[in-house]
Amino acid sequence: MTARDPSPIWHPFTQHAFQPEMIEIARGEGAWLETPGGNRILDAISSWWVITHGHRYPPIVAAIKEQAERLDQVIFAGFTHEPAEHLARGLIEIAPQGLSHVFFSDSGSTSVEVAIKMALGYWHNIGEPRHRILALEHTYHGDTFGGMSVGARTLFSAPYAPLLFEVGRIPFPSPGHTQDTIDVLDAVCAEGSVAALVVEPLILGAGGMLTYPAHVLTEMKRVCEAYGVFFIADEVMTGWGRAGTLFACERADVEPDIMCLAKGLTGGSVPLAVTLCPQKIFDAHRSTDRTKTFFHSSSYTANPIACAAAAANLDVWKREPVAERIVNLTQLQTKHRGTLRTDTRFRNVRQLGTIVAFELNAPDAGYLAAIGPKLYSFFLERNVLLRPLGNTIYVMPPYCISEAELDQVYSAIGDAADQVDRWAAS
Ligand SMILES: *Cc1c(COP(=O)(O)O)cnc(C)c1O
């Protein structure tokens, strides 16, 4: 590629005016990405939170190859296949109690769309129309219109704001104000016609890696139960061990009514998502009256290759000491968290399982803070991939990262913090 021959590609969440050149990656292995020239970059954000065991994890790669040799794709209406059947049974086996059915889609965003449609479809089909959806402040549930609607209204969604549907907004359970969250939720539910509450359990990802206590999640579920409101857990980021347990809801003893999974579902290898629901939602759509059908699909629903990759991931969880690896990584992260907490250059140092996040004390803050891109470039110069949300830095590595590799990440962060005053002066 030359300057006269620019790429026709429009990249996601990318301001091409500032970032005209992309870094080409030719290979991935374990916690590393490699350029065609052989430069290695440490992937400290699991390639946007998807890679769990590591890049090109052998059993998952093998399953993809094997399935590609047998069946690549088949329409999923009226047809089924072994990888999907096997995976669905495996998911129900490990999912929280009460979840009995699996609906496939392709991304976290669509899994949330499906969850909302399932909830609304239930109330519609049983003849008790409830249309209100509730969601937490600062939350992120994807970039489709439904996902944007339930997500926080930010500069990301500003151009589309007039077309987003209205959502009952529940205050974020910030320290000292957790009871407000529960009280507002209770009051809004009491007004009636609430179909569902959508939450990111225990940590809000794109909203700034904000954490909240498990008892708040437990309480929110209790309030929903009292009003017959569906509790939708968007575990797209938190699932598959990221929060320390297989699903974050486990940490609060919460059994969601509907659960969304994507990202780590295939170990991060290929796109796939699922929305799990209970018998009663399935039954409300199962009828000799065709108008009650769940009218949702995408062309690649339950793609066999993606299902085989996800089934292989389930197998890895069953056969390999994944939980132990997560405990080890969590302990390493706790050690670094402790060090950061004694360092005045950082504040709000927080951890949930394998994720550590904190704010860098910098003159400007917020997502568009000028410090964000500077940090990003600085880390890349040190061959570390970190993608700060403004002055919020988070470390979310694949579980295979070694102690020495993680040290390298934090050493780059320490070096960056040393630069802040110099950047501010320039
Ligand atoms: C990433 C994410 C989504 C969207 O998933 P995509 O696969 O990017 O569509 C939805 N919810 C949460 C909590 C996420 O972190």
Side-chain angles (χ1 to χ4, degrees), residues 48-49 106-110 112 140-143 200 205-206 234-238 262-263:
W48 246 346
W49 323 344
D106 320 307
S107 71
S109 305
T110 52
V112 172
Y140 176 81
H141 295 288
D143 288 330
E200 285 179 90
D234 176 352
E235 292 249 13
V236 168
M237 182 189 85
T238 49
K263 293 193 170 116

Side-chain angles (χ1 to χ4, degrees), residues 41-98:
I41 300 170
L42 188 48
D43 187 355
I45 56 163
S46 301
S47 278
W48 246 346
W49 323 344
V50 301
I51 300 289
T52 50
H53 314 295
H55 286 273
R56 245 167 8 90
Y57 202 64
I60 296 176
V61 173
I64 291 171
K65 284 184 182 166
E66 214 172 287
Q67 184 55 40
E69 294 289 344
R70 253 200 305 267
L71 173 68
D72 49 358
Q73 166 66 7
V74 60
I75 178 174
F76 207 58
F79 288 81
T80 193
H81 50 77
E82 203 272 333
E85 295 290 342
H86 179 69
L87 171 60
R89 279 171 222 278
L91 287 171
I92 292 307
E93 219 171 86
I94 61 167
Q97 281 287 316

Side-chain angles (χ1 to χ4, degrees), residues 223-293:
V223 173
C224 286
E225 253 169 47
Y227 291 95
V229 167
F230 287 121
F231 184 91
I232 302 175
D234 176 352
E235 292 249 13
V236 168
M237 182 189 85
T238 49
W240 306 105
R242 205 61 84 176
T245 44
L246 178 57
F247 304 118
C249 281
E250 290 170 26
R251 302 185 65 128
D253 271 326
V254 161
E255 289 162 359
D257 299 306
I258 303 178
M259 186 163 79
C260 306
L261 299 173
K263 293 193 170 116
L265 171 59
T266 61
S269 57
V270 287
L272 184 71
V274 290
T275 307
L276 309 188
C277 77
Q279 190 70 42
K280 75 172 188 180
I281 292 186
F282 179 78
D283 284 346
H285 291 84
R286 187 175 182 276
S287 168
T288 49
D289 174 357
R290 283 179 187 278
T291 64
K292 295 196 168 179
T293 307

Side-chain angles (χ1 to χ4, degrees), residues 167-242:
V167 164
R169 200 63 66 183
I170 308 302
F172 177 75
S174 52
H177 299 278
T178 59
Q179 192 55 42
D180 296 351
T181 302
I182 305 306
D183 293 345
V184 172
L185 177 61
D186 194 288
V188 174
C189 285
E191 289 167 11
S193 58
V194 177
L197 166 72
V198 191
V199 299
E200 285 179 90
L202 304 187
I203 184 166
L204 274 54
M209 298 292 161
L210 304 172
T211 54
Y212 62 91
H215 73 85
V216 181
L217 192 68
T218 316
E219 281 290 291
M220 288 194 291
K221 174 64 163 70
R222 188 191 54 74
V223 173
C224 286
E225 253 169 47
Y227 291 95
V229 167
F230 287 121
F231 184 91
I232 302 175
D234 176 352
E235 292 249 13
V236 168
M237 182 189 85
T238 49
W240 306 105
R242 205 61 84 176

Side-chain angles (χ1 to χ4, degrees), residues 79-140:
F79 288 81
T80 193
H81 50 77
E82 203 272 333
E85 295 290 342
H86 179 69
L87 171 60
R89 279 171 222 278
L91 287 171
I92 292 307
E93 219 171 86
I94 61 167
Q97 281 287 316
L99 298 172
S100 59
H101 286 75
V102 178
F103 194 93
F104 288 97
S105 61
D106 320 307
S107 71
S109 305
T110 52
S111 74
V112 172
E113 299 284 337
V114 166
I116 294 168
K117 285 175 74 170
M118 277 178 173
L120 294 173
Y122 171 87
W123 295 114
H124 178 267
N125 283 358
I126 69 159
E128 187 190 331
R130 296 191 185 193
H131 293 113
R132 296 183 72 197
I133 304 287
L134 311 181
L136 283 178
E137 258 176 4
H138 309 311
T139 196
Y140 176 81

